[in-house]
Amino acid sequence: MKITIEWTYKTKNGAETVFRSEELSPAHALTIAEDIEKTGRAKNMTLIDEHDSTWMMKELKKYIKEIETEPHNVRVYFDGGFDIQTSSSGLGIVIYYEQNGKSYRLRRNAPASGLTSNNEAEYAALHLGVVELDLLNVHHQTVQFIGDSQVVINQMNGEWPAYERDLADWADRIDGKLKDLGITAEYELVPRKLNAEADRLASQALNRVDITGQIELQ
């Protein structure tokens, strides 16, 4: 979830103007909002999430306390590979998240069959990431999905249409799963070198090297 703070600032001589912050994480927004209140110059402060719902400060405090015990600040890196000679695919995902004041990294890959292109393998990798979020009990928050596939990122962003039926079906399946989990997806396109972990996992899956693991980051 992202929070925007909106408030009216009043000067000593009574002049007023309205300020609006950028989107902030809930904890960051709460810290800023409390600091603004201490000035004694703010009124009509409103905390607004990305769904245009408003929050009271005490409600946001309760929410922050609750999510500390659940995975949050989640980023999912995904990559899919397709071997045209064998018609086999490899999927790789890396998930970074925080829970109970600690940071974690989860890595997983999987071979896949029945796919027909690299683009479909990329979609299958993204879907694998969403399934893993369900297993981690990630829900009702904003999650970043990061990959190097222009096709997948731009189609999931709605910037490109999905004319191919197979790809459109994957997109619909992923959107449906995200809706069920209450997850708001933010998609980011990165160069392949910034997606090296997921790329390596996908290549290992193509070579039938199974990788599954989770560690706490120091």
Side-chain angles (χ1 to χ4, degrees):
M1 182 170 69
K2 296 294 179 67
I3 295 290
T4 301
I5 310 169
E6 190 173 282
W7 72 99
T8 301
Y9 181 82
K10 185 175 181 179
T11 66
K12 289 182 178 180
N13 62 10
E16 295 183 357
T17 189
V18 176
F19 286 96
R20 187 180 178 92
S21 75
E22 61 184 349
E23 288 188 332
L24 306 166
S25 69
H28 192 186
L30 182 61
T31 298
I32 297 297
E34 289 177 332
D35 197 62
I36 291 170
E37 275 199 337
K38 289 177 183 177
T39 67
R41 299 280 183 82
K43 66 177 186 178
N44 302 328
M45 183 177 293
T46 307
L47 306 174
I48 310 165
D49 66 23
E50 62 263 49
H51 304 294
D52 289 327
S53 297
T54 58
W55 294 66
M56 297 177 63
M57 295 260 274
K58 63 180 182 180
E59 291 175 329
L60 193 58
K61 287 180 181 178
K62 181 180 178 182
Y63 171 79
I64 292 170
K65 185 176 181 180
E66 288 174 348
I67 67 169
E68 276 301 312
T69 60
E70 300 178 356
H72 56 280
N73 292 341
V74 182
R75 291 173 291 139
V76 180
Y77 290 81
F78 68 94
D79 195 56
F82 179 74
D83 187 335
I84 194 170
Q85 293 182 332
T86 62
S87 294
S88 59
S89 302
L91 319 177
I93 60 166
V94 185
I95 301 177
Y96 290 90
Y97 65 96
E98 297 175 19
Q99 188 173 12
N100 294 317
K102 299 178 180 179
S103 298
Y104 296 91
R105 183 193 68 190
L106 183 151
R107 298 164 70 233
R108 184 183 170 195
N109 69 358
S113 59
L115 308 181
T116 59
S117 68
N118 192 74
N119 286 334
E120 195 175 2
E122 293 277 7
Y123 264 108
L126 174 57
H127 183 264
L128 177 65
V130 176
V131 170
E132 199 64 39
L133 293 182
D134 191 6
L135 295 175
L136 281 172
N137 196 31
V138 176
H139 61 93
H140 295 93
Q141 59 180 284
T142 299
V143 174
Q144 287 183 297
F145 293 93
I146 303 163
D148 56 53
S149 169
Q150 277 193 318
V151 170
V152 173
I153 295 297
N154 288 333
Q155 286 181 350
M156 293 304 295
N157 268 334
E159 295 179 12
W160 291 3
Y163 292 119
E164 297 178 54
R165 186 69 262 166
D166 289 344
L167 303 188
D169 286 345
W170 277 108
D172 290 343
R173 193 181 315 170
I174 291 164
D175 280 338
K177 185 69 173 175
L178 291 172
K179 184 177 180 181
D180 289 343
L181 295 173
I183 290 175
T184 299
E186 292 183 348
Y187 296 98
E188 181 181 353
L189 180 66
V190 296
R192 181 172 293 274
K193 65 181 180 180
L194 296 182
N195 199 31
E197 278 188 296
D199 177 64
R200 184 164 54 252
L201 287 167
S203 297
Q204 289 169 321
L206 274 171
N207 293 319
R208 295 300 189 268
V209 178
D210 179 57
I211 305 290
T212 301
Q214 179 176 310
I215 63 169
E216 180 184 340
L217 301 175
Q218 302 300 321

